[in-house]
Amino acid sequence: QAQLVESGGGSVQPGGSLRLSCAASGYTFSHYCMGWFRQAPGKEREGVADINKNGRYTDYAESVKGRFTISRDNDKNTLYLQMNSLKVEDTAMYYCAADPAVCGLAPIYQYWGQGTQVTVSS
């Protein structure tokens, strides 16, 4: 049974940084595309960043380009999201997701974590 567990969320002031992690188990991590998504109250879930199976290709939502960096460690079965220069509008529940065939920013991945809350406020 595939399991994704996010961690690293919290409260931070605007301009601050956080690093999210997603520990994967129950499947062959390196065979899956991975993505980070977020959902704010009253809004639809949106793609933040995705990374292909070997980590060579990444893509970002326009709203986070230049501020967020997605990466993966296939030896540790872990996905990361480094978030810098955080803004109030980045406040949301952040989810990691995995899929054996789908990459990209559409929220149609097969496996999902439970999420970790990120709150940016002064």
Side-chain angles (χ1 to χ4, degrees), residues 1-7 21-36 72-80 96-99 111-113:
Q1 182 73 14
Q3 186 174 17
L4 300 172
V5 180
E6 301 94 337
S7 62
S21 298
C22 172
S25 61
Y27 70 98
T28 305
F29 183 71
S30 62
H31 291 184
Y32 282 63
C33 287
M34 299 295 297
W36 284 102
R72 65 190 296 164
D73 186 332
N74 284 350
D75 291 330
K76 296 182 178 180
N77 292 348
T78 304
L79 177 73
Y80 303 99
C96 66
D99 198 279
Y111 299 129
W112 292 83

Side-chain angles (χ1 to χ4, degrees), residues 9-86:
S11 296
V12 64
Q13 292 185 338
S17 297
L18 285 173
R19 189 194 194 201
L20 306 184
S21 298
C22 172
S25 61
Y27 70 98
T28 305
F29 183 71
S30 62
H31 291 184
Y32 282 63
C33 287
M34 299 295 297
W36 284 102
F37 296 81
R38 66 186 182 186
Q39 189 167 17
K43 295 188 177 181
E44 293 186 353
R45 188 169 297 188
E46 63 173 350
V48 175
D50 71 279
I51 188 167
N52 76 327
K53 299 172 185 179
N54 62 18
R56 292 181 182 176
Y57 298 100
T58 60
D59 192 21
Y60 297 90
E62 286 295 326
S63 59
V64 306
K65 278 184 179 178
R67 301 188 298 121
F68 290 10
T69 302
I70 188 172
S71 61
R72 65 190 296 164
D73 186 332
N74 284 350
D75 291 330
K76 296 182 178 180
N77 292 348
T78 304
L79 177 73
Y80 303 99
L81 185 68
Q82 178 66 45
M83 305 187 295
N84 298 328
S85 302
L86 282 161

